[in-house]
Amino acid sequence: MKTLRNEMKTRKESFFQNDCEDFKRDHLSEDLYKKFYEKESKELKKLENYVSVSGRMISKRIFGKASFFTLQDMSGKIQVYVSSNHIKEEIYEKKFKKCNLGDLIGVHGKVFKTKTGELTVDCRKIFLLTRSYRTISSKFYGLKNKEIQHRNRCLDLILNQRSRNTFIIRSKIISWLRCFMNEKGFMEVETPIMQPMYGGASAKPFMTRHNALKSELYLRIAPELYLKRLVIGGFEKIFEIGKNFRNEGVSTIHNPEFTMMEFYEAYKNYLDLMDFIENLFHEIVESTLKKSGIKYGENFLNFDKRFKKVTMKQSILQNISNQFSMKDLENKDKVFTIARSYGVQVEKEDSIGEIQYKIFEKVVEKKLIQPTFVTEYPIDVSPLSKRSRENPLVAERFELFIGGYEIANGFSELNDPVDQTSRFLQQSRKNGIRRDIDEDTFYDKDYITSLEYGLPPTAGVGIGIDRLVMLLTNRRSIRDVIFFPALRKK
């Protein structure tokens, strides 16, 4: 590599053709296939179809006085034919043959088809646009090493078509969601990423300091409390797509920096938004993948049927020993016994609802493969949710599970400032004890003040974009769907 750099420093002229900086691409490889692929070879010969294409050289085959190489651009690949009959022999022998895989090349030539019918550009002028100091492996069938894929994403994208497709689909999913929400009458908004107090979820934040204001700030763990302030202010249908940050563990479904879409609609409840979410998932699968079902791992996920609905306690009973009953789940001693028998870690101060939720997370979640709405979560683990009118111990809340993990979380929003104050204080006391943190950290007085102006009956939902992309691209790790995931230092 050092020799190559020295060579490039001393070379003042362009590698193949003078004035290569004036090279202008006029076609992508995809354009050539759309324009010429259906034409017969004889028809192509009659046409004056000269084109200029450019991209990265990812393969090269030399046959004496003629060669073939493949250019890869943002839309795909195109084969190029180079012959000493059409470019100067000196350029072909002494310069082109020394070209490395990975070099960025510009080509001007005529489109034709080979004897095997492959669309090809017959090179008449060739330009080295950028030299690659690091030679790309000739094994361009895909980079297999996951560690290299995640740490060296640019190399992964050069070599792996599947990785490229994953991020193209990710972009389409986010664009589709924006269009869908706009068509449904929602307005896109932006709320602060740096916040003086973190809330809207139970998670440990990243902390920073604003020097000019002389105050501590937190990267948001959720935008919820700010979005509901906007609903109070009169924006009754809103959504936000953005980054959230949680200073917690890393796993195949958790990254400290992740993307979510949260949306809120006034004068709706959680049941209305369950129907909305089900319709959204039916349409996004059909629109982005052109199918009604998808393969995920070893399972086929069917989005053509109505989603299954089950309460949290029902789902627990369906997945534990039949010696336990619904009454056992509502008895603290019994539910402790169930938790311990399944290796669930519980604490003395945990309530019945908190223990139920821990059992659900450990035993049930991974088994919810087909799209399933889980409802009636304990109010103890739903501090921002409205209480159920039928049972005040549970919340008007749902979570959507697909492929064994949570993909969306929604509920009817608690709009009673007195009840919300009580729950904030209760959460503050618990978290203060468990995490040795000042209780005031969890009590958002400004949000309570906003609630006192009156939040209309409202429901809201958060959808994990990264996990959604995992589902629709059949990826088992969140690192595969984030360009630059969080990784340990080498």
Side-chain angles (χ1 to χ4, degrees):
M1 191 172 80
K2 185 176 181 181
T3 303
L4 180 56
R5 282 179 174 165
N6 291 335
E7 179 188 347
M8 292 297 289
K9 285 179 181 178
T10 58
R11 183 175 296 162
K12 294 182 180 179
E13 72 276 9
S14 62
F15 191 65
F16 299 128
Q17 204 79 35
N18 288 331
D19 301 320
C20 70
E21 291 182 1
D22 294 331
F23 173 84
K24 300 294 182 185
R25 177 170 68 184
D26 56 27
H27 286 77
L28 294 171
S29 57
E30 183 181 52
D31 300 332
L32 300 185
Y33 279 95
K34 287 180 180 178
K35 192 173 181 180
F36 300 114
Y37 186 74
E38 297 298 327
K39 297 185 183 298
E40 297 292 335
S41 182
K42 291 182 180 178
E43 187 179 359
L44 287 174
K45 288 181 180 178
K46 296 177 183 178
L47 296 175
E48 291 297 317
N49 49 353
Y50 285 91
V51 299
S52 294
V53 295
S54 59
R56 192 177 297 274
M57 179 186 286
I58 61 169
S59 71
K60 182 171 66 171
R61 306 183 305 282
I62 296 177
F63 306 101
K65 298 290 185 180
S67 299
F68 289 93
F69 69 91
T70 302
L71 278 186
Q72 177 176 278
D73 62 22
M74 63 182 288
S75 67
K77 302 171 185 176
I78 189 69
Q79 179 171 263
V80 178
Y81 172 71
V82 187
S83 168
S84 57
N85 294 330
H86 290 156
I87 64 173
K88 291 180 180 180
E89 187 169 352
E90 181 184 3
I91 292 176
Y92 180 81
E93 291 292 339
K94 295 183 179 181
K95 296 181 179 179
F96 168 73
K97 284 187 175 182
K98 292 181 180 178
C99 185
N100 294 321
L101 296 185
D103 287 348
L104 291 155
I105 306 295
V107 171
H108 179 74
K110 193 172 187 295
V111 179
F112 76 105
K113 280 187 176 179
T114 64
K115 292 180 180 179
T116 59
E118 183 169 357
L119 201 65
T120 305
V121 176
D122 184 357
C123 176
R124 305 302 169 90
K125 291 182 180 179
I126 189 165
F127 307 83
L128 177 71
L129 304 178
T130 305
R131 188 69 181 263
S132 174
Y133 290 157
R134 295 181 180 271
T135 303
I136 303 298
S137 170
S138 60
K139 297 177 181 179
F140 57 92
Y141 296 104
L143 186 64
K144 306 274 184 179
N145 188 306
K146 285 288 185 182
E147 181 77 7
I148 296 176
Q149 285 181 17
H150 299 150
R151 291 191 183 277
N152 193 347
R153 184 63 83 188
C154 61
L155 182 63
D156 174 46
L157 295 172
I158 291 169
L159 296 178
N160 278 336
Q161 187 60 44
R162 187 185 178 196
S163 290
R164 291 159 65 90
N165 290 341
T166 293
F167 290 105
I168 289 170
I169 293 172
R170 181 187 175 102
S171 177
K172 289 179 178 178
I173 288 169
I174 294 174
S175 296
W176 187 93
L177 286 170
R178 280 199 166 93
C179 290
F180 181 84
M181 298 304 289
N182 287 328
E183 288 172 3
K184 298 297 182 182
F186 287 80
M187 182 178 79
E188 185 170 10
V189 298
E190 295 174 290
T191 59
I193 289 178
M194 290 194 301
Q195 303 176 352
M197 182 171 292
Y198 60 96
S202 179
K204 185 177 180 181
F206 289 94
M207 194 168 82
T208 186
R209 180 169 179 79
H210 195 299
N211 292 331
L213 296 179
K214 297 180 180 179
S215 62
E216 306 298 330
L217 292 174
Y218 304 92
L219 295 184
R220 72 180 179 196
I221 59 175
E224 178 170 344
L225 300 185
Y226 282 91
L227 290 171
K228 287 195 282 194
R229 285 174 169 94
L230 298 181
V231 178
I232 293 168
F235 292 106
E236 296 174 354
K237 297 177 72 173
I238 56 174
F239 77 100
E240 180 173 12
I241 296 175
K243 295 285 189 182
N244 293 334
F245 307 84
R246 297 181 184 178
N247 193 1
E248 298 183 335
V250 176
S251 73
T252 55
I253 59 172
H254 295 96
N255 193 68
E257 176 184 351
F258 60 99
T259 305
M260 283 190 68
M261 180 177 83
E262 280 204 24
F263 66 93
Y264 293 84
E265 183 171 2
Y267 309 106
K268 298 289 184 181
N269 61 32
Y270 79 114
L271 296 174
D272 298 320
L273 292 199
M274 284 171 70
D275 292 336
F276 185 94
I277 285 292
E278 185 167 346
N279 179 54
L280 184 154
F281 272 80
H282 286 312
E283 290 197 27
I284 196 169
V285 172
E286 180 65 36
S287 298
T288 58
L289 302 181
K290 309 302 180 187
K291 45 178 92 165
S292 60
I294 58 174
K295 189 176 184 300
Y296 188 66
E298 298 176 353
N299 301 293
F300 181 80
L301 305 179
N302 193 340
F303 289 87
D304 202 27
K305 298 179 180 179
R306 292 303 303 269
F307 291 178
K308 181 181 176 182
K309 295 180 178 68
V310 62
T311 69
M312 195 189 78
K313 287 193 286 189
Q314 287 171 347
S315 72
I316 293 173
L317 288 177
Q318 291 169 5
N319 289 280
I320 62 174
S321 171
N322 56 16
Q323 73 182 81
F324 298 110
S325 66
M326 188 68 75
K327 287 185 178 180
D328 294 329
L329 286 178
E330 295 165 357
N331 179 285
K332 190 159 187 178
D333 291 334
K334 290 284 188 181
V335 82
F336 254 102
T337 300
I338 295 171
R340 287 167 180 162
S341 66
Y342 284 90
V344 179
Q345 292 185 347
V346 294
E347 301 174 29
K348 288 182 180 181
E349 60 268 22
D350 284 345
S351 66
I352 291 176
E354 289 172 322
I355 299 170
Q356 290 171 353
Y357 184 63
K358 288 182 177 180
I359 294 171
F360 172 78
E361 284 187 307
K362 178 74 179 288
V363 178
V364 182
E365 283 191 3
K366 60 190 175 185
K367 298 179 181 179
L368 299 174
I369 305 302
Q370 294 301 325
T372 303
F373 285 116
V374 179
T375 62
E376 296 188 14
Y377 282 78
I379 202 72
D380 297 344
V381 296
S382 310
L384 296 165
S385 307
K386 186 175 285 188
R387 294 177 187 272
S388 168
R389 283 162 287 186
E390 289 78 23
N391 180 0
L393 296 178
V394 299
E396 291 189 356
R397 176 185 173 188
F398 71 85
E399 286 187 331
L400 174 62
F401 289 85
I402 308 175
Y405 51 80
E406 174 206 338
I407 196 80
N409 178 27
F411 41 83
S412 300
E413 304 298 332
L414 177 59
N415 59 351
D416 180 348
V418 176
D419 192 0
Q420 187 65 81
T421 298
S422 174
R423 293 203 223 169
F424 271 165
L425 291 173
Q426 184 180 14
Q427 185 185 32
S428 295
R429 284 191 293 269
K430 285 185 177 180
N431 285 318
I433 292 169
R434 291 172 181 171
R435 302 185 187 182
D436 192 25
I437 298 173
D438 185 355
E439 291 182 13
D440 290 339
T441 303
F442 298 93
Y443 180 53
D444 192 336
K445 295 177 183 177
D446 289 341
Y447 177 67
I448 296 298
T449 300
S450 299
L451 271 187
E452 290 170 350
Y453 288 105
L455 171 67
T458 299
V461 177
I463 299 175
I465 300 292
D466 307 305
R467 294 183 184 182
L468 175 59
V469 176
M470 286 172 63
L471 281 175
L472 299 189
T473 58
N474 193 17
R475 292 290 197 164
R476 305 298 287 182
S477 172
I478 198 169
R479 296 184 186 94
D480 293 332
V481 301
I482 297 174
F483 273 126
F484 304 104
L487 301 168
R488 294 185 187 277
K489 288 185 177 181
K490 287 185 177 180

